[in-house]
Amino acid sequence: MSQINRLKGGLVNRGNAMSFTWNGKSMSGFEGDTLASALLANGERLVGRSFKYHRPRGIFSSGAEEPNALVQLRKGAAQEPNTRATVAELFDGLEATSQNHRGPLAWDLMSVTDLMAPFFGAGFYYKTFMWPAKLWEKLYEPAIRASAGLGRLSKKPDPDVYDHGFLHCDLLITGAGPAGLAAAMVAAKAGLRVIIADEDFLPGGRLNAETFEVDGQPGPSWAAAKAAELADMPNVRFMTRTTVYGAFDHGIYGLLERKTDHLAESGGKPRQILWRVYTKRSLLCAGSTERAIAFANNERPGVMLAGAVRDYVNRYGVTPGQKVAVFTNNDDGARTADDLKAQEVDVSAVIDTRKGQYVAEAKGRRGLKAIVLGDGSVVEADCLAVSGGWSPNVHLTCHQRGRPSWNDEIAGFVPGGELPPGMTVAGAANGAMTLGAALASGVAAAKAAVKDLTGKSPRASAPKAGDETYEVQPYWEVPNLKGRAWVDLQNDVTTKDIRLSQKEGFRSVELLKRYSTLGMATDQGKTSNVLGLAVLAEAAGKSIPETGTTIFRPPYTPVPMGAFAGRARGQDFRPVRKTPSHNWAAENGADFVEVGMWLRAQWFKRPGEKGWRDSVDREVEMTRKSVGICDVTTLGKIDIQGRDAAEFLNRIYSNPFLKVPVGKVRYGLMLREDGICYDDGTTARLSENHFVMTTTTANAVLVFRNMEFARQCLWPDLDVHLISTTDGWAQFAVAGPNSRALLSKVVDDLDLSNEGFPFMACSECTVFGGFPARLFRISFSGELAYEIAVPARYGDSMIRGLMKAGEEFDVTPYGTEALGVMRIEKGHAAGNELNGQTTAAMLGLGGMVSKKKDSIGSKLSEREGMNREDDMRLMGFHPVDKADKLDAGAHFLTQGDPEDMAHDQGWMTSVAYSPELGHSIGLGFIKRGKDRVGEVVRAFDPVRGKDTKVVITSAHHIDPEGDRQRG
Amino acid sequence: MIINHPLLGPRDAAEFVYKGDVGLIDRPDGMSDDLDTFHDYAYLRDNPAGEHQELWYHEQGDRSWLVVTRSTLTHEITKVELARDVARARGRSS
Amino acid sequence: MKYSAWQVFKEGLTGNKGWKPVWREPEPKAEYDVVIVGGGGHGLSTAYYLAKEFGVTNVCVVEKGWLGGGNIGRNTTIIRSNYLLEGNQPFYEKSLKLWEGLEQDFNYNAMVSQRSIINLIHSDAQRDAFARRANAMRLSGADSEILDKAGIMKACPFLDFDNARFPIQGALRQKRGGTVRHDAVAWGYARGADERGVDILQNCEMTGFIRDKDGAVVGVETAKGQIRAKKVAVCVAGSSSRVMSMAGMRLPIESHVLQAFVSEGLKPIIPGVITFGAGHFYVSQSDKGGLVFGGDIDGYNTYAQRGNLPVVEDVCEGGMAIMPMIGRARLLRMWGGIMDMSMDGSPFITKTDIPGLYFNGGWCYGGFKATPASGYCYAHLLATDRMHEVATQFRLDRFRRGLPIDEKGQGAQPNLH
């Protein structure tokens, strides 16, 4: 189809025609077009529907501020909702569809809501849909939700990848328009490391949209030349298609660079890069955004911002209409008419409010046909270029504490309050609304930055350009309004809505926004906020500055979630830590489970085993009968050395540690300062001044952090040093009656007899003929058991060597499940019991909190509430009917008591099937537990529909005397 | 945010773990001080709107505990010290 | 003026000219029975229930900015009663029950939407902990379910069940959980309180307490002059430490920023509230179509209502980890609210040691869902000088007595709650 609105000239590449589809219809445009300019070139005026009333809408702007022309781009998983056609670069094969309508775009069934508009004023939904209450979720809300929302997600995983990057610079310049380019030249020539970023793919800003000259050249040529010069300089990073979306603390800025959005396929390359930029100074040259004037039906397709009309005519060589009228309160009007006439487009009228003229109403439902003037005359027009003046883009200045201030001369808000530290503002963003002023302010700002950073004053003068006139007379809403005049086009907020909100008491700007939804749409009110404020001020009989200000929150324009997430998704969401025996385990049937970042073997499946229970039961039985091996590397390991190491540990652990003999291991209990147990483990004294601590897997990092705090902040003069060796040593539990025999084959020259190496002994030693190792006789399983550690690089060899050595004993590897079964059988507390809510007394370890010394948490553990007689105790539980399976999370109720919170007796923390006892067993906390052994209580589990009678036992289900581990 | 580590220079705050008010250095003595003193130490901390001295731990770095003086209104950091030095200055010798 | 479909219809036919201001803009009287400091959600609901349930109508609310401008205006709108501990669960269940009748009670549509809240389960230990919680909920009369993997796949088929770093094994679901249009809650309570005679004073910053010779609090200094009161009820979460320090009190509270986020509007895609149990992410979808989501607090003391990028990225990583379909949805706006982070993660509704001074705060990031019960119980305390039975443990001296209400088991480390 021919491009009926294509003019001559412009900055598009006519040598490269591109075809695309719009709602399935094939069209063509050129390289350098946006989807919006191409649609206009093809005569498409109706491009979307508004949010609330489903009013027909056309392209309103030519940039990121677009409220109307939101489309769905691409197909399949790459489908991208709510894309502004005004910033979507055209590529060959682009597919776009309109959104938020039922039935064809031109015949949206939902547009019936527009007829209901009298009943759908601001906040109407707060006043109705209340009866009957049940219908809200069933009827009202689904209907509202279905009609609300804009585009659709594909419901498929985002097929693209996103990268994160980090950059540093002296000066970040936001915007490569005239002010930004002029500033960058000065700063770059002075040797600063400069990053200049512009959201557009073509540098130059408004220079590309206007017909101005700089230094005697056409504006676009000057911009292109300066951009090329800057891009060649080694100290400059010139970033196009890059939005500075936010200003964060300490000179950190967030940038989004679009790498492949202008291509048909990303080809495996990152679609976008999210840059975090660390700056010494920043200069905001973000330009300004035009705003509209309120008159009846001022949002008909064909009504467009005047600056956008010039942009389409001059930059893209496209006219938005064949017969264009202009409505303005400033000098833009004449310029718009001139630019159109230069391209031989028919200009049907220029209506200038400064001459007392105004547009009363726009005519034409699906596209502008005519305008009615204040005097009643009718002017034919298929496009109306509107300018209500320009608002500086102060957004980034507000991201911290800045509050813009009103400037009467330009009738707009300029940066005010506290700007982000290090930020200055130049050009139109700072209220320098003419080209000459913008260039001069850019140069001046850059000189100031250079002086500030280097102490030198560069010599530079601003490029030469004329100062076109910019005289503006505030003009917000036409008089004698008939019908509705829109302020926020996307959210369908009219001047009536603002007045109603004001009348109903929503008088603060913030209340107005929330009640009327003004400025809350995807454009965040870029074209509407100031107009809305002006209408509110007028309704309240106040000035704009008295009424309030508009502030902005990041991001400047919306940023895809995928970009913020970067590569951290799927399996790469978090790093994976593998144990030293991981490869061996994988080769031997291990089933792995996530434990924090770690992957651990939870069981090892052998041929013929039907379910996990078969494997786990076997591992437990074989370990208890002969010997089993488990990789326990994930336990935290902390190396503690120094003359005061014992004294330090004595203050960290609640039980005494001063007199641990060399060559011995002691179990230690750690409290938080608030007296609650948070970790336990064993600490071995390898020599007088050298200890090795183990912590639980979950708390390895936290315990180390807390110990460093104690070392550096509480007792800075103790001679003690800490290092985490969790990853440095591979450690294996070797447990079972044959563990001694197995290890005797592995360990060199060490007397492993019960006398030579008794329970809780430890030693440094060698294995397999000279490899360094540490041996600890400790037991989590309750069996005769050891843990042996070798430097992590030998971990793989070690597991293979241990397994080979154990063949004659039919050694079994066991995983975390069997480990868990054995510790529950033995009655050891683990994560489910050490959950940060339990006291030592609850765990039956009250005696371990020494009263004879000060240790972390010992004092606050004395508080009355933590030492109640009726407090919970950790106990064991057996089902009365041995066939019953217990479940963790059941609550205990005394038989005959009501089932309510007041009668809650405690809860089951951990359960397992005990192969040795032949039935399910549990651990749990129950009130006054130690006095209730033998009592039958209910394990009440309504969420799983269970209610099981259990008998309270000792927590030590097997070998309560500990004979096995000492044997 | 950026914390200017006294030994390592400027580092992104994401490398650090935050603990809180510097008063956590002033731990009472469990043998000589009473429960109320411990309660106040553990639970009642400075929470000013303005300059705040606070403990940060360089977990993804050299494992130094630092005392950072930072405004809770603007986030401006005016001083960074090694917590060990601060602790000694506050009288915490063993 | 009673709101109804009929009223909306009638006004629509007559040009919407008859709507009246939702609240008055009164001048302060010299003295009230109760002065509530803080015109946020909790302050307004306290005023409402004082007037409606306890007949105490000689009440004013002083608010330094615009009503509802605190955390009621900047939260992620979730309601639920999926708590664990005896000190909390009955209170939040009371709150949920109040939510359920709220709109008819105050004749304002706050869009209480019980579309369920789902907490994903990724490990056996998590399942055990959630089972314990689910049963505690049942014991307090709340609803709860544990979904297995098939159940969660049916409820949320769009989650990543194929390639997740932390596979989804199930979920805790409370069907009565959901979301509420947060601003409307403030407006509804304000309207209801105003109708019953409560004076709401916007732009009226409280600058100090008036004390009598015995030290009792007998009123407040404000930007609009002295206002005397028999009881002064502070309710300024986020600024609690600042305000109570004017009475010389130190609180077991730190101020932290919690960031929240909303995406561009999208057609319905998320059914209720979903929280990710192995990362820091929770999400719901508003009636307007925006995905409303958040994660962890930034973690440092601050009074600035803004956060920083590491947490933004962390939150979005969590989102992409469970729902990689949201990669092409765009984050539209980020903001921050200042939280009263208490030392055990639980709140305070309590008398103080100073006669005449009452305190409500320490809500951490759970304040929104508590709005009705917080107001109700605070009103009960102010009217009767006795704690309501579901809020007896929210005392300031609970740490001194060794009775923290620590749902997460993190101890006196506010940024971990």
Side-chain angles (χ1 to χ4, degrees):
Chain A
M1 187 185 147
S2 63
Q3 301 179 35
I4 56 167
N5 282 336
R6 186 69 74 175
L7 307 168
K8 58 189 188 301
L11 305 173
V12 292
N13 179 6
R14 284 159 201 269
N16 188 6
M18 292 174 159
S19 63
F20 68 102
T21 66
W22 166 243
N23 282 341
K25 202 160 93 178
S26 287
M27 299 183 182
S28 68
F30 297 119
E31 183 187 1
D33 265 325
T34 61
L35 175 59
S37 69
L39 286 169
L40 287 169
N42 286 277
E44 290 291 325
R45 292 204 294 166
L46 173 61
V47 297
R49 290 279 172 171
S50 66
F51 182 81
K52 184 170 165 187
Y53 298 136
H54 288 256
R55 301 259 297 184
R57 290 293 164 78
I59 293 160
F60 188 66
S61 75
S62 62
E65 67 271 31
E66 177 63 32
N68 285 345
L70 306 183
V71 303
Q72 294 201 153
L73 213 58
R74 302 177 191 266
K75 280 269 165 19
Q79 175 176 305
E80 190 188 312
N82 305 334
T83 300
R84 292 145 188 75
T86 49
V87 297
E89 270 179 74
L90 194 66
F91 54 82
D92 200 37
L94 179 150
E95 292 176 274
T97 53
S98 52
Q99 56 186 35
N100 201 32
H101 53 85
R102 273 190 213 155
L105 174 60
W107 305 101
D108 178 9
L109 295 171
M110 295 299 291
S111 61
V112 66
T113 55
D114 196 26
L115 302 174
M116 307 282 283
F119 313 107
F120 286 1
F124 80 97
Y125 30 74
Y126 299 124
K127 300 169 182 165
T128 182
F129 301 136
M130 283 176 274
W131 293 271
K134 273 184 195 155
L135 283 192
W136 175 253
E137 284 92 351
K138 291 199 164 66
L139 177 68
Y140 302 134
E141 188 178 49
I144 290 171
R145 283 165 66 85
S147 71
L150 297 164
R152 276 177 212 286
L153 287 175
S154 67
K155 300 195 179 181
K156 299 188 180 97
D158 186 341
D160 277 315
V161 295
Y162 302 82
D163 261 339
H164 283 183
F166 299 83
L167 295 170
H168 296 257
C169 67
D170 296 323
L171 180 65
L172 169 68
I173 299 175
T174 301
L181 288 170
M185 289 302 296
V186 173
K189 282 183 177 165
L192 297 191
R193 289 183 306 157
V194 174
I195 294 174
I196 177 166
D198 197 291
E199 60 184 354
D200 204 333
F201 55 93
L202 187 67
R206 286 297 301 174
L207 286 174
N208 296 321
E210 308 283 3
T211 54
F212 302 142
E213 291 194 341
V214 183
D215 280 344
Q217 296 177 66
S221 312
W222 180 85
K226 293 300 165 194
E229 193 178 339
L230 284 164
D232 277 348
M233 295 170 78
N235 54 329
V236 175
R237 187 174 186 118
F238 203 114
M239 303 174 80
T240 54
R241 300 186 175 103
T242 304
T243 304
V244 180
Y245 67 80
F248 300 91
D249 279 322
H250 302 170
I252 298 173
Y253 288 81
L255 275 62
L256 180 73
E257 184 178 17
R258 290 169 290 275
K259 301 294 280 185
T260 67
D261 281 347
H262 61 294
L263 304 173
E265 297 286 341
S266 51
K269 293 203 172 77
R271 176 189 172 207
Q272 299 174 338
I273 301 175
L274 194 80
W275 296 100
R276 208 187 288 181
V277 181
Y278 297 78
T279 71
K280 290 183 181 153
R281 296 289 181 274
S282 80
L283 178 58
L284 181 68
C285 302
S288 56
T289 300
E290 203 168 16
R291 56 194 185 226
I293 296 173
F295 56 92
N297 299 330
N298 59 340
E299 34 69 86
R300 291 300 192 199
V303 179
M304 187 182 281
L305 292 169
V309 171
R310 295 198 298 283
D311 204 358
Y312 289 118
V313 169
N314 295 324
R315 173 172 169 177
Y316 299 99
V318 170
T319 182
Q322 296 296 330
K323 199 177 270 291
V324 184
V326 181
F327 179 31
T328 182
N329 68 343
N330 62 72
D331 291 338
D332 271 5
R335 233 183 1 261
T336 308
D338 292 347
D339 291 358
L340 286 160
K341 285 173 191 162
Q343 285 270 26
E344 296 170 357
V345 179
D346 189 1
V347 177
S348 55
V350 176
I351 301 103
D352 192 328
T353 63
R354 295 170 300 176
K355 298 178 187 162
Q357 305 160 325
Y358 66 92
V359 176
E361 190 186 354
K363 292 280 191 193
R365 181 161 175 81
R366 285 187 207 89
L368 185 70
K369 288 180 180 148
I371 50 174
V372 182
L373 303 190
D375 61 9
S377 59
V378 176
V379 176
E380 205 182 318
D382 58 359
C383 171
L384 177 66
V386 181
S387 181
W390 294 75
S391 301
N393 289 331
V394 299
H395 304 65
L396 289 173
T397 71
C398 306
H399 283 184
Q400 289 174 25
R401 288 159 66 84
R403 292 288 177 273
S405 54
W406 184 255
N407 178 320
D408 270 328
E409 198 171 323
I410 64 162
F413 284 103
V414 294
E418 285 176 56
L419 268 52
M423 179 190 280
T424 50
V425 190
N430 203 29
M433 305 308 281
T434 64
L435 178 55
L439 290 164
S441 78
V443 168
K447 284 163 117 174
V450 172
K451 179 89 198 316
D452 195 16
L453 289 171
T454 67
K456 294 180 195 138
S457 297
R459 262 192 271 169
S461 51
K464 287 186 185 53
D467 266 327
E468 75 284 7
T469 58
Y470 180 74
E471 193 235 12
V472 59
Q473 183 188 70
Y475 193 95
W476 309 109
E477 186 180 13
V478 302
N480 311 315
L481 185 68
K482 294 187 184 68
R484 288 174 289 163
W486 268 256
V487 178
D488 184 320
L489 272 57
Q490 189 180 138
N491 269 355
D492 280 323
V493 181
T494 65
T495 57
K496 275 186 188 169
D497 292 317
I498 294 172
R499 289 207 179 80
L500 178 62
S501 303
Q502 202 278 339
K503 186 179 174 193
E504 292 195 276
F506 298 88
R507 286 166 193 173
S508 142
V509 181
E510 293 294 332
L511 283 174
L512 170 73
K513 277 168 61 179
R514 286 165 160 79
Y515 191 63
S516 70
T517 76
L518 171 74
M520 307 292 269
T522 63
D523 59 328
Q524 293 283 283
K526 288 190 175 66
T527 61
S528 62
N529 279 343
V530 174
L531 175 56
L533 191 59
V535 174
L536 177 68
E538 190 267 335
K542 292 182 183 171
S543 70
I544 289 176
E546 282 170 337
T547 305
T549 184
T550 60
I551 62 155
F552 302 91
R553 297 198 175 273
Y556 174 65
T557 50
V559 174
M561 297 278 289
F564 274 121
R567 301 261 177 183
R569 57 182 281 199
Q571 291 296 324
D572 296 330
F573 170 56
R574 291 292 179 257
V576 173
R577 296 176 83 180
K578 291 179 179 170
T579 64
S581 66
H582 186 90
N583 290 346
W584 178 87
E587 293 161 17
N588 286 275
D591 193 285
F592 293 102
V593 63
E594 298 75 16
V595 181
M597 304 284 183
W598 291 100
L599 283 185
R600 296 188 72 178
Q602 50 184 348
W603 57 78
F604 294 81
K605 189 177 178 183
R606 288 210 176 153
E609 289 175 343
K610 292 196 181 68
W612 65 273
R613 265 283 305 284
D614 290 353
S615 306
V616 173
D617 288 355
R618 172 188 47 76
E619 287 169 17
V620 171
E621 281 166 336
M622 288 176 73
T623 300
R624 293 222 187 273
K625 203 172 84 196
S626 176
V627 58
I629 297 175
C630 182
D631 189 328
V632 293
T633 304
T634 62
L635 292 177
K637 302 181 213 66
I638 300 171
D639 207 78
I640 302 154
Q641 298 194 41
R643 285 188 303 280
D644 297 320
E647 172 64 29
F648 180 74
L649 283 169
N650 201 46
R651 298 181 190 187
I652 293 293
Y653 277 128
S654 67
N655 51 322
F657 258 79
L658 275 181
K659 291 177 184 158
V660 179
V662 172
K664 279 289 187 180
V665 182
R666 182 166 291 179
Y667 173 77
L669 184 67
M670 272 187 211
L671 307 183
R672 293 190 309 236
E673 194 65 274
D674 68 355
I676 295 286
C677 296
Y678 87 105
D679 206 70
D680 68 347
T682 58
T683 292
R685 191 167 203 169
L686 295 179
S687 68
E688 183 64 23
N689 296 330
H690 187 190
F691 292 79
V692 176
M693 174 188 282
T694 64
T695 74
T696 61
T697 299
N699 286 329
V701 171
L702 183 65
V703 169
F704 186 73
R705 182 191 304 162
N706 290 348
M707 284 171 63
E708 279 291 358
F709 175 75
R711 189 181 77 88
Q712 295 177 42
C713 300
L714 300 183
W715 303 300
D717 289 341
L718 287 185
D719 182 59
V720 61
H721 293 270
L722 312 172
I723 189 131
S724 167
T725 58
T726 304
D727 297 275
W729 291 83
Q731 193 151 318
F732 299 94
V734 182
N738 282 321
S739 57
R740 180 182 289 131
L742 191 159
L743 281 171
S744 299
K745 296 172 65 182
V746 170
V747 177
D748 308 327
D749 310 323
L750 197 64
D751 173 11
L752 290 186
S753 69
N754 207 25
E755 297 71 37
F757 202 77
F759 183 56
M760 299 305 262
C762 69
S763 179
E764 293 182 282
C765 60
T766 60
V767 291
F768 293 114
F771 294 94
R774 290 170 176 170
L775 186 65
F776 312 90
R777 191 170 156 197
I778 50 180
S779 175
F780 198 47
S781 58
E783 297 297 325
L784 168 68
Y786 302 79
E787 289 188 14
I788 185 154
V790 295
R793 65 185 179 281
Y794 300 128
D796 182 76
S797 305
M798 188 68 185
I799 185 66
R800 291 172 201 277
L802 284 169
M803 290 303 294
K804 183 130 188 69
E807 272 172 10
E808 62 177 286
F809 310 107
D810 203 10
V811 64
T812 180
Y814 65 93
T816 53
E817 283 296 323
L819 183 84
V821 170
M822 288 190 278
R823 75 96 189 166
I824 292 168
E825 287 178 330
K826 183 64 188 165
H828 285 307
N832 282 11
E833 290 79 31
L834 286 165
N835 65 355
Q837 297 167 328
T838 46
T839 62
M842 286 171 72
L843 292 165
L845 301 173
M848 287 191 74
V849 183
S850 169
K851 307 254 186 253
K852 294 186 186 141
K853 62 165 185 169
D854 179 21
S855 63
I856 300 287
S858 61
K859 190 74 190 180
L860 286 174
S861 75
E862 294 171 9
R863 287 176 291 173
E864 51 162 299
M866 296 164 69
N867 293 281
R868 285 171 300 168
E869 275 306 303
D870 66 344
D871 209 350
M872 308 265 185
R873 287 289 180 279
L874 182 67
M875 304 303 293
F877 297 87
H878 290 181
V880 170
D881 179 346
K882 297 285 189 265
D884 283 344
K885 181 180 167 296
L886 303 182
D887 288 291
H891 285 241
F892 299 123
L893 291 174
T894 304
Q895 295 195 84
D897 271 0
E899 295 157 4
D900 63 26
M901 205 139 204
H903 294 86
D904 191 6
Q905 295 292 298
W907 75 102
M908 191 87 80
T909 55
S910 301
V911 299
Y913 174 79
S914 167
E916 181 158 332
L917 298 176
H919 60 80
S920 191
I921 58 171
L923 295 175
F925 290 105
I926 188 162
K927 284 182 181 169
R928 296 184 297 104
K930 66 180 173 184
D931 303 330
R932 297 170 74 173
V933 172
E935 182 183 337
V936 173
V937 294
R938 291 165 69 188
F940 184 58
D941 192 12
V943 77
R944 283 171 292 214
K946 293 180 70 173
D947 188 358
T948 311
K949 284 199 172 62
V950 294
V951 59
I952 303 172
T953 69
S954 156
H956 310 293
H957 299 278
I958 60 160
D959 189 27
E961 305 306 319
D963 294 337
R964 294 187 198 172
Q965 63 195 17
R966 291 172 204 280
Chain B
M1 292 196 289
I2 296 167
I3 294 173
N4 195 359
H5 191 299
L7 304 176
L8 304 173
R11 295 297 182 117
D12 196 292
E15 295 176 12
F16 295 80
V17 171
Y18 181 81
K19 187 169 180 78
D21 181 24
V22 71
L24 290 168
I25 285 178
D26 304 325
R27 184 180 183 276
D29 186 304
M31 299 311 280
S32 58
D33 289 313
D34 62 11
L35 263 177
D36 276 351
T37 310
F38 251 97
H39 164 271
D40 292 357
Y41 161 73
Y43 292 104
L44 303 182
R45 302 176 193 170
D46 283 349
N47 185 27
E51 192 171 272
H52 186 222
Q53 278 192 294
E54 56 201 23
L55 288 156
W56 292 74
Y57 174 55
H58 199 199
E59 187 150 274
Q60 310 293 323
D62 74 340
R63 308 191 308 277
S64 290
W65 278 91
L66 305 179
V67 174
V68 175
T69 305
R70 187 180 60 92
S71 166
T72 59
L73 292 170
T74 65
H75 297 170
E76 184 191 11
I77 292 174
T78 46
K79 197 176 189 182
V80 184
E81 302 157 274
L82 289 173
R84 181 190 290 263
D85 296 342
V86 175
R88 284 185 175 129
R90 291 169 90 106
R92 291 211 69 89
S93 292
S94 50
Chain C
M1 175 184 281
K2 189 163 166 65
Y3 288 158
S4 63
W6 168 245
Q7 193 69 25
V8 169
F9 179 69
K10 205 171 70 179
E11 284 296 333
L13 293 181
T14 54
N16 287 305
K17 293 199 173 71
W19 295 114
K20 298 281 187 303
V22 181
W23 39 72
R24 295 165 295 129
E25 292 183 0
E27 286 304 312
K29 292 191 272 186
E31 182 165 5
Y32 293 90
D33 290 341
V34 179
V35 169
I36 296 168
V37 181
H42 292 221
L44 293 167
S45 76
T46 303
Y48 175 79
Y49 290 116
L50 265 177
K52 179 168 180 288
E53 300 295 331
F54 300 95
V56 183
T57 56
N58 186 24
V59 173
C60 89
V61 179
V62 296
E63 164 55 47
K64 74 172 173 182
W66 37 282
L67 67 86
N71 289 333
I72 189 97
R74 53 187 77 244
N75 61 76
T76 44
T77 80
I78 296 167
I79 60 168
R80 59 185 170 90
S81 69
N82 54 3
Y83 280 73
L84 169 68
L85 299 176
E86 189 190 348
N88 276 329
Q89 174 58 26
F91 172 84
Y92 288 100
E93 178 56 21
K94 162 94 180 163
S95 208
L96 195 49
K97 290 212 170 75
L98 287 169
W99 283 118
E100 284 168 336
L102 182 64
E103 296 156 299
Q104 291 69 29
D105 188 64
F106 68 18
N107 180 228
Y108 204 77
N109 185 358
M111 305 181 192
V112 176
S113 174
Q114 295 180 289
R115 281 176 290 133
S116 86
I117 177 162
I118 280 171
N119 300 92
L120 298 177
I121 293 171
H122 306 267
S123 70
D124 290 348
Q126 230 173 12
R127 180 186 301 276
D128 295 348
F130 277 138
R132 178 190 170 199
R133 176 180 302 250
N135 283 325
M137 292 163 68
R138 295 283 187 102
L139 285 173
S140 81
D143 68 305
S144 65
E145 297 170 82
I146 296 285
L147 301 181
D148 60 10
K149 188 171 177 183
I152 184 65
M153 284 179 89
K154 183 157 173 266
C156 300
F158 48 83
L159 297 174
D160 187 353
F161 293 98
D162 304 327
N163 188 37
R165 171 70 178 80
F166 299 102
I168 299 166
Q169 295 183 5
L172 168 66
R173 178 163 73 182
Q174 183 176 33
K175 280 191 168 170
R176 288 161 63 238
T179 57
V180 180
R181 172 79 184 97
H182 56 122
D183 292 319
V185 177
W187 303 337
Y189 277 126
R191 175 168 169 270
D194 177 272
E195 268 177 2
R196 289 169 175 80
V198 173
D199 286 350
I200 300 168
L201 308 172
Q202 299 186 66
N203 300 308
C204 181
E205 183 168 6
M206 175 271 195
T207 54
F209 294 100
I210 307 170
R211 313 282 288 264
D212 70 7
K213 60 180 182 351
D214 301 323
V217 167
V218 293
V220 290
E221 308 274 357
T222 76
K224 294 183 177 173
Q226 284 201 344
I227 304 175
R228 300 188 77 85
K230 296 193 178 74
K231 292 175 181 175
V232 172
V234 173
C235 199
V236 292
S239 297
S240 293
S241 298
R242 276 202 276 197
V243 170
M244 295 304 277
S245 73
M246 294 184 207
M249 282 183 66
R250 279 162 73 82
L251 299 177
I253 283 173
E254 288 179 0
S255 297
H256 286 259
V257 66
L258 176 68
Q259 300 192 64
F261 312 89
V262 65
S263 79
E264 295 181 336
L266 298 163
K267 290 294 178 196
I269 192 152
I270 308 263
V273 183
I274 300 169
T275 78
F276 178 27
H280 309 294
F281 179 76
Y282 57 89
V283 65
S284 64
Q285 189 170 16
S286 77
D287 285 338
K288 286 175 64 191
L291 302 179
V292 181
F293 58 99
D296 256 2
I297 56 175
D298 269 40
Y300 41 80
N301 287 47
T302 180
Y303 287 87
Q305 288 177 327
R306 61 190 165 80
N308 276 294
L309 282 173
V311 167
V312 183
E313 292 175 8
D314 185 61
V315 169
C316 292
E317 287 170 7
M320 286 295 281
I322 55 164
M323 296 191 287
M325 69 171 178
I326 60 173
R328 300 178 100 81
R330 297 188 193 87
L331 189 157
L332 174 63
R333 191 169 65 246
M334 53 178 88
W335 66 94
I338 303 306
M339 308 291 126
D340 266 10
M341 296 303 296
S342 69
M343 291 289 160
D344 59 359
S346 293
F348 307 96
I349 302 176
T350 182
K351 291 185 202 179
T352 69
D353 292 340
I354 300 171
L357 181 61
Y358 296 74
F359 176 66
N360 174 322
W363 291 98
C364 301
Y365 37 78
F368 177 69
K369 76 180 85 68
T371 306
S374 168
Y376 195 97
C377 293
Y378 203 20
H380 184 282
L381 176 66
L382 288 162
T384 67
D385 268 322
R386 281 181 291 110
M387 281 307 305
H388 188 279
E389 61 179 7
V390 297
T392 53
Q393 297 191 26
F394 296 161
R395 300 157 51 131
L396 268 171
D397 66 357
R398 63 177 182 257
F399 302 115
R400 220 173 274 283
R401 299 162 64 221
L403 295 168
I405 317 169
D406 189 349
E407 290 269 332
K408 281 197 181 171
Q410 296 289 1
Q413 188 59 41
N415 61 352
L416 297 181
H417 286 295

